[in-house]
Amino acid sequence: MYDGRGVSAATSGRRAHCVGTGAHGDVVYPTSGNTVLFDSYPQQLFSAIESYGLLAIPLFMLAGELMNEGGLTKRLIALARILVGGFRGGLAYINLVANMMMAAIIGSAASQIAIMSRAMVPAMEQEGYDTPYSAAITAAGGLLSPIIPPSMLFVLFGVMAQVPIAEMFIAGLLPGLLLGASFFVVIALVGLVQQYPKGQWPSRQQALHDALWGLPALLIPVIIIGGILLGIATPTESAALASLAALLMGRFVYGDLRLTQLPMVLTRTAINAGLVIMLIAAAGVFGWVVIYEQLPQMAAEWIAALTSSPFLFLLLVIGALLLVGMVIDGIAALILVVPILMPIAQSQFAISPYQFGVVVCLTLVMGLLTPPVGAGLFIASSMTSAPPLKIFRALLPFLLATLVTLVLLAWLPWLTNGLIQR
């Protein structure tokens, strides 16, 4: 007889075998002795991606690609100039505001860093900004993508933790604004110390022109977030509508998108989405093995011996995931840690899955910008020719602001749970 996981009833408990040595001195590791487990692997691979919510990932990727090719990105940058372009270090503020707008569309930190580096860094260099600092602001803007909805990490976390993706998006609104505000403070302080040039407000005629041409592009994040908040569309449906809107605007409103570009856009989207989906499929097997081996229970016993405070537990999680994120990609790391830590957070410390998800996703994406791997640093470096180490030095104030934000998110649950109606 077998239980629902395809595990023999006689062997579904903890293993009775112990580590020892065989007849020839070989090490013998504990096993269940149940070969049916191997037959369950294909089923677990498929069941991990058998979720309607995962369709949002390729659709959000497609929306970002269509926006970049269709000229919507540069219109959003022009719109940001109207809002903050006249302050000291105006282009730095423009860079950040444009990143916040793009974060509400792309949902991928790596893609956002690549797109905005090409768009913003050359303009900042022309006005006298240091190249490493310009690249650092752009890279820091990528930290907004995992928490300002939509977010691919939120979609993945929602599927793995079995929580509504729409509510995960809502949970990220206040933390995203808080993180953006902390970056504004950093830019203001650096601008005063470095005496960066004071920006110029566009003329009334130019502002009116940029506003009229920028508002259609701004409709896309409004479609995504508004549709979800008002309950008009699911995250997946909002992603489909955003992709359609980006296609129509890029082709018929701005005229920058040519139909001959679509095969290239679709191919790029398919390749990138395929990589993510395969990781998720592998995560299904990993999570199943983790649960079968009772790793969450063993980890819970160890952590419970260290602290009984939810705040201290989250601080331990932040510290551990900062180290994990330095060497493992954010998506892969999320796949590894959620099956182990999520049950502990809920059962042992009664932490909301939304608070836990926001803290974990933001912490892991910091690894994109920290050595020794720091893929985001190398993306920004390849786009700007600035050395990765110099970009990292310029990033340190932004990373410190992110750590302060993480501590606040761990300390104040209402920052993530306040907008979710229960």
Side-chain angles (χ1 to χ4, degrees):
M1 295 178 61
Y2 297 95
D3 61 17
R5 299 173 298 177
V7 180
S8 170
T11 58
S12 59
R14 291 300 303 158
R15 310 321 167 257
H17 298 81
C18 300
V19 176
T21 57
H24 301 287
D26 298 328
V27 177
V28 178
Y29 293 95
T31 61
S32 68
N34 184 8
T35 58
V36 176
L37 293 174
F38 291 102
D39 298 332
S40 301
Y41 280 13
Q43 179 185 357
Q44 297 299 327
L45 280 169
F46 178 77
S47 63
I49 57 176
E50 194 181 15
S51 172
Y52 173 74
L54 289 177
L55 188 59
I57 291 178
L59 288 173
F60 281 129
M61 287 181 169
L62 179 60
E65 292 284 353
L66 289 171
M67 283 197 64
N68 193 43
E69 295 293 336
L72 280 74
T73 303
K74 61 185 180 183
R75 267 78 183 194
L76 288 177
I77 293 173
L79 188 62
R81 186 181 292 273
I82 301 173
L83 301 175
V84 292
F87 298 123
R88 180 177 297 279
L91 266 182
Y93 290 106
I94 293 170
N95 193 343
L96 182 58
V97 172
N99 267 293
M100 294 181 73
M101 294 178 181
M102 293 300 293
I105 300 164
I106 295 179
S108 166
S111 299
Q112 184 172 324
I113 291 170
I115 291 170
M116 296 305 293
S117 292
R118 291 196 302 267
M120 287 302 306
V121 174
M124 294 184 69
E125 289 175 332
Q126 291 177 2
E127 293 201 13
Y129 293 85
D130 294 334
T131 301
Y133 177 67
S134 305
I137 294 176
T138 308
L143 292 172
L144 298 167
S145 66
I147 53 174
I148 292 182
S151 163
M152 283 198 301
L153 285 182
F154 278 2
V155 173
L156 178 55
F157 179 86
V159 171
M160 294 185 66
Q162 297 183 346
V163 298
I165 296 172
E167 293 187 354
M168 276 302 303
F169 284 178
I170 295 172
L173 287 174
L174 287 180
L177 294 174
L178 177 63
L179 184 61
S182 69
F183 286 175
F184 273 109
V185 173
V186 171
I187 291 174
L189 294 176
V190 172
L192 287 175
V193 172
Q194 299 292 337
Q195 287 297 300
Y196 281 117
K198 187 175 182 181
Q200 292 184 345
W201 297 105
S203 65
R204 181 173 298 180
Q205 183 178 359
Q206 185 65 40
L208 181 61
H209 175 272
D210 291 343
L212 290 175
W213 281 100
L215 286 177
L218 197 60
L219 284 176
I220 293 184
V222 171
I223 290 171
I224 296 173
I225 300 173
I228 294 171
L229 291 180
L230 296 177
I232 299 173
T234 66
T236 303
E237 292 165 348
S238 294
L241 290 173
S243 298
L244 178 61
L247 173 63
L248 295 177
M249 288 181 191
R251 180 70 184 94
F252 299 108
V253 177
Y254 299 124
D256 290 355
L257 181 64
R258 300 187 302 275
L259 295 180
T260 55
Q261 295 173 282
L262 288 181
M264 177 186 63
V265 168
L266 294 173
T267 300
R268 248 192 338 252
T269 302
I271 292 173
N272 293 332
L275 292 172
V276 174
I277 297 300
M278 283 304 298
L279 282 172
I280 296 170
V285 176
F286 175 79
W288 173 63
V289 171
V290 163
I291 293 172
Y292 182 79
E293 294 288 347
Q294 299 184 12
L295 291 182
Q297 292 89 325
M298 291 187 286
E301 294 175 3
W302 178 73
I303 293 176
L306 295 177
T307 180
S308 59
S309 166
F311 175 60
L312 291 180
F313 167 74
L314 285 176
L315 290 184
L316 288 173
V317 168
I318 291 170
L321 295 190
L322 281 174
L323 298 176
V324 171
M326 287 181 180
V327 294
I328 302 178
D329 176 74
I331 292 177
L334 190 69
I335 289 168
L336 290 173
V337 302
V338 168
I340 298 174
L341 295 179
M342 183 70 187
I344 302 172
Q346 289 188 287
S347 62
Q348 297 290 321
F349 298 95
I351 295 173
S352 158
Y354 307 106
Q355 181 188 16
F356 183 76
V358 172
V359 168
V360 167
C361 290
L362 180 55
T363 304
L364 287 176
V365 87
M366 283 184 68
L368 197 67
L369 302 176
T370 52
V373 179
L377 293 176
F378 287 97
I379 292 173
S381 176
S382 65
M383 296 292 172
T384 63
S385 73
L389 189 57
K390 288 188 176 181
I391 297 176
F392 176 68
R393 290 197 191 105
L395 260 172
L396 287 175
F398 296 96
L399 295 177
L400 179 60
T402 305
L403 280 175
V404 172
T405 302
L406 279 170
V407 172
L408 288 176
L409 294 178
W411 184 32
L412 303 172
W414 60 265
L415 287 173
T416 49
N417 304 333
L419 297 180
I420 300 174
Q421 300 297 324
R422 284 295 184 184

